[in-house]
Amino acid sequence: MKPVSKNLGSIQDLADRYADELSAQFRTLNLFVQHAGEVGRAHEVFLRGVLSRFLPQKLRCGSGFIASAESVTSQQDIIVFDAHSLPILLEIGDCVV
């Protein structure tokens, strides 16, 4: 078995640190907020923030709906999309269609 390269170890360390940061934010939020809907929304915002750090610049992260000529989806907590390739029909804050 080959030893794990330093580079792969560093990537795992980075992932572990982001997981620790996210967990700490969740625990801190839960000290102050008891409303399940708001806790869930805050978790989504935190997670989108972490995802955005790793996405290529051409991709964006938000929440909202996906529309086609035939239908519109129900609300999606996290959407990753290329705003240069797909038209944004409506954007309010981080909510997009």
Side-chain angles (χ1 to χ4, degrees):
M1 182 178 228
K2 292 182 179 180
V4 176
S5 76
K6 174 113 173 90
N7 210 12
L8 287 177
S10 297
I11 291 171
Q12 184 62 53
D13 289 343
L14 180 62
D16 290 343
R17 287 173 193 252
Y18 278 120
D20 290 345
E21 176 186 342
L22 203 56
S23 180
Q25 288 176 342
F26 290 171
R27 287 191 311 273
T28 301
L29 174 71
N30 290 331
L31 289 174
F32 299 104
V33 180
Q34 302 303 314
H35 186 273
E38 285 303 306
V39 170
R41 187 183 68 77
H43 288 185
E44 294 162 14
V45 169
F46 290 148
L47 186 54
R48 283 194 302 268
V50 171
L51 286 173
S52 294
R53 295 178 196 175
F54 294 97
L55 290 174
Q57 286 187 342
K58 74 176 202 164
L59 297 179
R60 290 181 45 200
C61 191
S63 68
F65 306 85
I66 301 170
S68 70
E70 295 81 32
S71 66
V72 177
T73 67
S74 59
Q75 191 272 342
Q76 304 297 304
D77 294 340
I78 298 176
I79 301 171
V80 176
F81 60 97
D82 182 346
H84 298 289
S85 299
L86 301 169
I88 295 176
L89 304 175
L90 175 68
E91 183 171 11
I92 301 171
D94 67 350
C95 181
V96 294
V97 178

